[in-house]
Amino acid sequence: GQQVQQSPASLVLQEGENAELQCNFSSTATQLQWFYQSPGGSLVSLLSNPSGTKHTGRLTSTTVTKERRSSLHISSSQTTDSGTYLCAIPRNMGYKLTFGTGTSLLVDP
Amino acid sequence: DPKIIQKPKYLVAVTGSEKILICEQYLGHNAMYWYRQSAKKPLEFMFSYSYQKLMDNQTASSRFQPQSSKKNHLDLQITALKPDDSATYFCASSPGINTLYFGAGTRLSVL
């Protein structure tokens, strides 16, 4: 079945530093998505990026579909960015997502 | 205000018992889902419903039964609970294929 690998597994930054998170997937993804899971567990969709580069606020995602990889760049990190970042790709139909194990980000003040 | 309400937030059950996890969404979406997140495992798709009809079931065990009494409700009944069922269960909904909106989850512990 489809697999989603994320790296690094965890990352510690000082506030203001940038973060680069990686996602590799085993099959062509039509609607790769990035999610944020807060330390309390709540899940929020950050952006959908099937290919190319997309920006939202301090987040930039670049997906190279042919190479089956996507990255999420967080600029000028803040302590409130701490949490787990999950990459997900749809299986067959778009509503069924396969998630990676996530990158746990800790931003120290 | 949360648009997807899951109840209860925490649930403790004994092995062999039965519990129902409640989910109501107020986003007007026709598609609803259940996902499960166990310790140290990725978030895992369980069920999808569209217009109150089961569209997909990726859960091997029949002990997990979704129930949709209304268009914006998708409850999850779990019978004969086992310790391995301990996880956080997330309800979600979507307007299409691009975005999922998640509830806050129900954290289930089976003793």
Side-chain angles (χ1 to χ4, degrees):
Chain A
Q2 289 180 333
Q3 293 188 356
V4 179
Q5 307 281 350
Q6 291 188 247
S7 62
S10 61
L11 187 57
V12 180
L13 299 175
Q14 292 294 315
E15 196 165 28
E17 291 182 325
N18 299 330
E20 188 85 11
L21 284 54
Q22 302 293 336
C23 176
N24 292 82
F25 40 94
S26 61
S27 61
T28 302
T30 56
Q31 289 292 343
L32 182 138
Q33 298 182 42
W34 285 94
F35 289 83
Y36 167 74
Q37 187 166 30
S38 71
S42 62
L43 283 154
V44 174
S45 175
L46 293 174
L47 45 75
S48 174
N49 185 17
S51 66
T53 299
K54 286 199 173 181
H55 304 273
T56 179
R58 293 180 293 106
L59 304 179
T60 301
S61 172
T62 300
T63 298
V64 183
T65 309
K66 280 198 297 189
E67 295 179 14
R68 299 179 183 173
R69 60 178 175 86
S70 181
S71 65
L72 182 68
H73 181 88
I74 306 172
S75 63
S76 304
S77 62
Q78 301 174 0
T79 56
T80 51
D81 294 332
S82 297
T84 302
Y85 291 79
L86 300 168
C87 171
I89 59 171
R91 277 191 279 172
N92 305 323
M93 304 279 291
Y95 52 75
K96 197 160 61 176
L97 298 178
T98 297
F99 282 83
T101 50
T103 292
S104 176
L105 175 65
L106 176 63
V107 182
D108 286 331
Chain B
D1 289 338
K3 301 298 185 185
I4 301 181
I5 298 171
Q6 289 190 243
K7 293 184 280 192
K9 190 170 175 63
Y10 301 101
L11 190 53
V12 179
V14 295
T15 297
S17 66
E18 172 183 314
K19 292 294 180 186
I20 295 181
L21 281 56
I22 305 294
C23 177
E24 306 168 7
Q25 59 95 0
Y26 296 94
L27 293 164
H29 298 160
N30 294 315
M32 295 185 71
Y33 317 90
W34 278 101
Y35 279 78
R36 171 172 55 197
Q37 191 173 40
S38 306
K40 299 185 180 179
K41 285 186 182 178
L43 200 60
E44 175 189 24
F45 171 87
M46 297 180 74
F47 298 98
S48 68
Y49 265 64
S50 180
Y51 293 94
Q52 293 186 265
K53 291 193 188 309
L54 177 66
M55 300 301 290
D56 205 340
N57 175 358
Q58 289 293 311
T59 302
S61 174
S62 59
R63 295 186 298 107
F64 294 83
Q65 290 291 330
Q67 299 170 343
S68 181
S69 59
K70 297 181 188 177
K71 186 178 121 176
N72 67 328
H73 283 227
L74 185 63
D75 300 336
L76 181 64
Q77 180 186 40
I78 314 175
T79 58
L81 278 160
K82 303 177 179 180
D84 277 352
D85 298 331
S86 298
T88 300
Y89 292 82
F90 288 96
C91 177
S93 70
S94 71
I97 65 170
N98 288 349
T99 304
L100 272 181
Y101 296 83
F102 283 92
T106 291
R107 187 174 295 181
L108 172 66
S109 296
V110 183
L111 307 177

